[in-house]
Structure formats: structure tokens, C-alpha cells
Amino acid sequence: MRQPLAGNGSITVRTAALAAVLTLAIAIVVRRSATAILIVIVLVVIPDVLSAPPGIPTGLTEWLLRITPAAAFALQQPAPQYYQVQANYIPPSGYYPLAPWAGFAVLCGWTALALGAP
């Protein structure tokens, strides 16, 4: 029996571990720990926070959640999107513009890019 992605705690641990590797790779590039932590917060946390206020256009928030490492939060969306169903599939409702594994792949890509930078 397959379990939903949101209920699997090991996925959250893997995402956090990969974000830690991203932070380490950025710290190696910039050579300052505080700067690296600030960069990762801006790349991972800020796009998710910006997706919540109603004043920001949905297209902008979906764009931010597709290309930044915050796309990995798609692993924690509550249910899959069904395109034949009319629903409010927007980030403030807990739905992300990418499929869960595609969002994780974006975080993997950013980490690989940061590891290859030095």
C-alpha cells in the first residue's frame, strides 16, 4: 500500500538534509557562515513566505516557487492536484505549482550547482 508523500517523515528529513548541504556549499563559495545562512534563508524561506499574502499576484508566487529551492516544499502538499476538478490550487491553500518530486529535483539542482561552483 502506497503512503501519501506528505505523511512520510523521511522525506522531510531528506529535504532538510539536502538544504543543509546547499547551505554548506554556499558557505564554501562565499566563505562566510552568516552570509551563507542569509542567502539560503532568502532562497528557501522567503519565496514560501511571499506566497501567503493576498496582495502579491499568484503568477509571481508560482514563478518563485518553481525556480527557487523553495520548490522542495511541494513534497509536503496535502493532496495531489486533479486537473479535471475545479479547485483553488494556489500556494496559500497548500498547493505548489510543481509535482512533489519535481520540486525536490529543483532543490537537488540548486545543490549540485552550488557544489560545482568552487
Side-chain angles (χ1 to χ4, degrees):
M1 182 175 185
R2 291 183 65 189
Q3 293 182 349
L5 291 175
N8 196 345
S10 67
I11 291 175
T12 304
V13 171
R14 290 178 189 153
T15 305
L18 193 59
V21 172
L22 174 66
T23 306
L24 178 65
I26 291 175
I28 291 170
V29 171
V30 298
R31 305 214 186 270
R32 301 274 185 235
S33 60
T35 306
I37 291 170
L38 182 65
I39 290 170
V40 171
I41 287 173
V42 166
L43 288 174
V44 176
V45 177
I46 299 298
D48 195 46
V49 170
L50 287 178
S51 68
I56 297 175
T58 305
L60 176 65
T61 59
E62 287 183 358
W63 178 78
L64 281 173
L65 290 173
R66 283 184 183 162
I67 64 165
T68 62
F73 287 126
L75 284 168
Q76 298 177 351
Q77 64 186 7
Q81 295 181 13
Y82 297 104
Y83 293 102
Q84 71 270 22
V85 177
Q86 288 272 350
N88 198 13
Y89 292 127
I90 57 174
S93 299
Y95 293 96
Y96 292 87
L98 292 176
W101 293 109
F104 188 70
V106 170
L107 179 60
C108 290
W110 274 84
T111 304
L113 183 71
L115 285 171

